[in-house]
Amino acid sequence: MNTIEKENKMGVMPIGRLLFQMSLPMIISMLIQALYNIVDSMYVSQISENALTAVSLVFPIQNLMISIAAGTGVGINALLSKSLGEKEFGKANDVARHGVVLALASSVIFAVAMFFFANPFMAMQTANADPEIFNYGVQYMQICCTLCIGVFTQITMERLLTSTGKTFYTMISQSVGAVINIILDPILIFGYFGLPKMGVAGAAAATVLGQVIGAVLALIFNLKFNKEINISLLKFRPKRAIIGGIYKIGVPSIIMQCIGSVMTFGMNLILMEFSSTAAAVFGVYFKLNSIIFMPIFGLNNGMVPIVAYNYGARHKKRIKKTVQLSVLTACCLMLIGIFCFWLIPDKLLGIFNASADMIAIGVPALRTISLSFIFAGYCIIIGSVLQALGDAVYSMINSLARQMFVLLPAAYILARLFGLSAVWWAIPIAEIVSVTLTTIFYRKVYRRKVQPLPD
């Protein structure tokens, strides 16, 4: 059992400096991840627009995979940080070990299930489209999903580092994995240096190899530098209470993020009724918005353990200051995103070898969707605060309402009544609903859990 004589920095360091120190490495690594997403699609678009459309259609499944891994990681992160804040170091070790086992088990289950689901999944979306889109999509999906052990392990190991405040090492593992992916993309797609030209399959292989290398690095960092926890599985025994505690927080987050996959799938179905180019634009939007949203998620990853730790340590003022500073930072970052999407949308689309048709559809789409950014920044931060305080179910309800009960029905109705140009307004409409629900839920949780803490 580990012993820690001095207070963890999350309980004593000034909040501004702590949040900066915790989040900056995560923001940098997330920006590199966003760059990888863009470069990956940029190279795929050079194969053909059909290839870009196929990869866009596979995105909901990739998002589902990441949702399961990241949602479980949220549970691990919050429970582990809270245990450290309460000085329950034995429990923190148990949480870490269970997290490793759950990551391995999840990757096996997902790989088997998705290998057989690739064909019917693509068939549902491409019934009236070019058969080439179907073939490209199946290739890409089967490689990414059957070799998903890298992404599950990488996310879990990085969450363990984040839980103890070692976000610098998370930045290194994420960045190296992304850079490896960026380097391998053109080599494997176009067959440089004597290697076979793999096309879309090469893009998938580069993704998987980057994830595996990132996972190995994160594992090494945990074993060598993360002395506050012990992840050795030699004496591991599954404990129902630990698994339940992880998933009590993690399942709402998993469901919340999986809802995003369902929403994307539904939007693809609506957009494919107009054209495959419209679906490609939606896929490109997700790649572009990652440049804006990934730093917010990096800020989130630095903020959650701070809030969870100080809730466990009963430090009310530190929780309040962390939340206020995080929301302010997120909203400022989102304003930058709005300006970029309004001023240079054609230049952004040009990165993906956009045709004249894609430019015509994409420019108004990006401008309309970006109006939701300022609301989204606030909602992302507050939703994660709810998770850190152990009330992730509210975030799940909010996400379900926003994406399933507002966004998709609004997109369908707008498509039927006013055509493609109106579909994009469904996203700002849904985000306004989300702001309202998020504020109501946060006030309720704050009064119940934070307000009673001593000043």
Side-chain angles (χ1 to χ4, degrees), residues 25 37-38 53 92 117 139 158-159 192-193 217 221 237 256 258 273 277 335 348 433 444:
N37 284 330
I38 288 175
T53 302
F117 186 59
Q139 286 179 36
E158 288 170 353
R159 289 297 184 272
Y192 296 150
F193 305 115
L217 271 178
F221 291 151
R237 295 291 183 275
M256 181 173 63
C258 287
E273 290 292 320
T277 300
L335 283 173
L348 296 175
V433 173
K444 182 177 181 180

Side-chain angles (χ1 to χ4, degrees), residues 15 307 309-324 389 442 446-447 449-455:
I15 290 299
V307 173
Y309 183 98
N310 285 284
Y311 178 58
R314 300 177 64 78
H315 294 158
K316 178 179 178 179
K317 288 183 179 179
R318 294 178 65 81
I319 295 172
K320 289 173 63 178
K321 191 166 183 179
T322 301
V323 174
Q324 291 167 356
L389 294 174
Y442 178 63
Y446 181 85
R447 291 192 189 106
K449 289 195 167 183
V450 179
Q451 194 165 314
L453 297 178
D455 289 321

